[in-house]
Amino acid sequence: MDALAMLLAVPLAGAACLWLVGEREAAPEINAAASFLTLAAAAWLTAEVVSDGPFAAFHEQFFVDPLNVFLVALTAFVGFTTSLFSAPYMRNERDKGRMTPARLRLYHGMYQLFMLTMLLALTSNNMGILWVAMEAATLTTVLLVSVYRTPASLEAAWKYFILCGVGIAQALFGTILLYFAAERVLGAQGHALLWTHLDLVKHQLEPAIMSLAFVFLLVGYGTKVGLVPLHNWLPDAHAEGPTPISAVLSGLLLNVALYAVIRCKVLAEGALASHFAAHMMMAFGLVSTVTAAFFLSRQRDIKRMFAYSSIEHMGIMTFAFGMGGPIANFAGLLHMTVHSLVKSAIFFAVGHAAQKAGTQVMDEIRGLLRVSPRVGWGLMIGTLAILGMPPFGVFTSEFLILTTAMREQPWATPLLLLALGVAFAAIFGRVQPMVFGETTLGRLPYQPALAPVFVHLALALMLGLYIPPYLAAWYRQAARLLG
């Protein structure tokens, strides 16, 4: 309980502190220090769950088990490394005149609040608080996406707010229907929205109400996941917001929204005793994967291209969790991990490349190996990793998903292979001249903060070659919780 309290208190205190000193020279270091303390709290919480098992806290309003503590640890780790990357990056943005002291105050304060909302959503046992936390995450990221105050960033933030607002309203209606079904079984004593109580009585919930509730919950939270056709906000938000925010949006927030969906799937499958929820998730996941793959070839902005790559990979994860079973769930959790690590590393490298070139248009970014070899190799290796080249972890997770689909959903396998092939050709064909092409630009005048890039890629490589036994056991235990 102490670890959980620290996990939630540190980003809240960090946000308050940074709101007071957010424009000062030491603000990036304070942001990184708060993120490090959050990571320490997440490690402490993980150790408690590993040694003592799942537990509820604060009158059962919070619940921690191997599934959500795994995502808590991943969120805290990527949040910390992003804060390290963010410090020199945002200082460079300030020196170029894109960030003012007031905008830096907003950026640093909202960064910590964004971390708080994601951790609150992951650890909450109350489905109502989960909805509130997801809505709060939307509001904080709207402010972060619009922080440059350009017409394009304001338009992207407005589109993000409207589309995700509509989606979260659907999720609210689904939550109300869930309460309506649970209240008949659990009574009105205040336990009808607690996930641990719902899980115990899921077989007694009214099937007709639960099927309708899951539709609204999937559409609502699926908007935040970026599932097609609810994805239109995501490319604009990635392209127009600061690069560190693109990294945490793609690497973390989409995971949190998918976590909400799979928690709801567990309840729906128990109530319906059918594959209705699974089939819906597989359909949305497959459509998202295929559609995003074909949109990749039409992109000119590098951050928009990798935003569509995120939609493709979230579709693969949704399809995997839709199939269910021990192998597919294991592969989905592994893919969630490596995608977060690799995609955030790619955005780190892309941020420095775009800063040097003064543009995000891929045709105008060339010769990164000459401009900065570390940026060039970071982008190239990250691209190969996210495209599923062995021996990186993305290859391992996608191989497990494909082989499971061959056995259980053979009709979907050709579509998945087609999408992966199209995505490979589109992304590699764009990135290769950016890295190896000719350029007249000089070398980067400063040393970019690329340690997080290579740490993330090294971890993704390790997970492709060797998954430590304790981590594999952790994945298996979390996969069993999903059925």
Side-chain angles (χ1 to χ4, degrees):
M1 187 181 297
D2 292 339
L4 179 60
M6 180 180 171
L7 181 78
L8 300 175
V10 167
L12 181 60
C17 179
L18 286 164
W19 189 251
L20 295 174
V21 301
E23 78 282 4
R24 298 182 184 176
E25 189 65 24
E29 284 70 31
I30 296 174
N31 188 37
S35 299
F36 176 75
L37 290 175
T38 302
L39 176 59
W44 183 10
L45 184 66
T46 302
E48 285 190 351
V49 172
V50 170
S51 62
D52 302 331
F55 67 90
F58 302 111
H59 304 288
E60 294 187 279
Q61 295 303 308
F62 293 87
F63 176 70
V64 185
D65 64 5
L67 173 60
N68 59 5
V69 82
F70 144 71
L71 287 170
V72 164
L74 180 63
T75 299
F77 176 75
V78 176
F80 170 60
T81 55
T82 303
S83 70
L84 296 179
F85 161 78
S86 173
Y89 182 88
M90 297 309 289
R91 282 198 175 106
N92 199 30
E93 293 289 271
R94 179 198 62 192
D95 295 342
K96 290 187 173 185
R98 300 191 71 190
M99 294 295 289
T100 64
R103 292 176 191 171
L104 283 172
R105 178 199 295 263
L106 176 67
Y107 171 82
H108 288 119
M110 286 300 108
Y111 185 91
Q112 288 298 316
L113 276 183
F114 179 44
M115 294 299 298
L116 171 65
T117 56
M118 290 190 292
L119 295 170
L120 180 62
L122 290 172
T123 56
S124 175
N125 190 31
N126 189 309
M127 301 298 287
I129 295 177
L130 170 63
W131 180 87
V132 170
M134 292 299 299
E135 176 68 4
T138 300
L139 296 176
T140 55
T141 41
V142 163
L143 295 173
L144 287 166
V145 168
S146 66
V147 74
Y148 287 136
R149 296 295 188 270
T150 62
S153 67
L154 291 172
E155 180 184 351
W158 182 247
K159 181 186 290 188
Y160 176 33
F161 177 72
I162 293 298
L163 291 178
C164 287
V166 171
I168 212 73
Q170 308 301 311
L172 174 61
F173 188 61
T175 305
I176 293 170
L177 289 173
L178 178 62
Y179 176 82
F180 181 63
E183 194 262 347
R184 295 182 170 190
V185 178
L186 295 170
Q189 288 78 32
H191 301 310
L193 281 179
L194 297 182
W195 191 87
T196 49
H197 290 256
L198 290 167
D199 188 47
L200 292 174
V201 300
K202 60 189 176 186
H203 300 293
Q204 303 175 43
L205 301 178
E206 176 61 40
I209 299 175
M210 284 301 298
S211 61
L212 189 59
F214 183 76
V215 170
F216 280 100
L217 289 165
L218 177 60
V219 170
Y221 290 129
T223 305
K224 298 285 290 185
V225 177
L227 298 178
V228 174
L230 315 164
H231 68 287
N232 289 332
W233 64 272
L234 198 150
D236 289 342
H238 280 65
E240 302 303 332
T243 298
I245 301 309
S246 301
V248 290
L249 268 176
S250 185
L252 300 180
L253 182 60
L254 305 186
N255 285 352
V256 176
L258 184 56
Y259 163 81
V261 171
I262 59 180
R263 283 290 199 195
C264 296
K265 173 183 178 274
V266 172
L267 300 177
E269 285 199 323
L272 301 177
S274 72
H275 297 297
F276 172 77
H279 290 163
M280 284 201 66
M281 288 185 67
M282 284 190 288
F284 269 100
L286 195 59
V287 169
S288 300
T289 303
V290 175
T291 304
F294 280 96
F295 268 108
L296 282 167
S297 61
R298 300 176 53 189
Q299 303 310 308
R300 298 294 178 266
D301 183 296
I302 186 168
K303 288 172 70 177
R304 287 182 67 89
M305 182 180 72
F306 282 112
Y308 275 103
S309 171
S310 294
I311 295 171
E312 178 208 2
H313 285 278
M314 295 312 295
I316 292 172
M317 290 179 226
T318 304
F319 180 83
F321 288 122
M323 282 194 297
I327 298 177
N329 286 335
F330 182 98
L333 293 171
L334 178 60
H335 198 76
M336 194 178 276
T337 306
V338 291
H339 175 260
S340 294
L341 294 171
V342 175
K343 189 57 67 65
S344 54
I346 288 173
F347 275 113
F348 296 159
V350 163
H352 286 302
Q355 270 190 340
K356 175 59 179 176
T359 180
Q360 294 175 189
V361 178
M362 287 180 281
D363 292 338
E364 299 177 21
I365 303 174
R366 288 291 183 269
L368 288 177
L369 280 184
R370 177 178 175 181
V371 174
S372 174
R374 292 198 297 163
V375 171
W377 282 118
L379 179 58
M380 193 72 247
I381 295 171
T383 299
L384 292 174
I386 204 65
L387 290 175
M389 287 292 288
F392 289 95
V394 176
F395 169 79
T396 304
S397 58
E398 288 181 347
F399 180 81
L400 289 172
I401 292 168
L402 283 169
T403 51
T404 305
M406 288 177 186
R407 185 180 71 252
E408 298 183 6
Q409 308 293 336
W411 59 272
T413 308
L415 295 175
L416 288 172
L417 289 171
L418 173 65
L420 292 174
V422 170
F424 187 99
I427 295 178
F428 188 78
R430 287 288 186 180
V431 171
Q432 189 270 340
M434 291 174 59
V435 175
F436 298 106
E438 296 296 327
T439 183
T440 59
L441 294 175
R443 290 182 68 87
L444 206 62
Y446 62 92
Q447 288 297 322
L450 289 180
V453 174
F454 294 105
V455 169
H456 285 203
L457 294 178
L459 289 172
L461 178 62
M462 182 198 76
L463 291 174
L465 295 170
Y466 172 72
I467 301 177
Y470 67 88
L471 187 58
W474 191 5
Y475 281 139
R476 284 193 292 269
Q477 193 174 0
R480 282 196 296 270
L481 294 175
L482 301 179

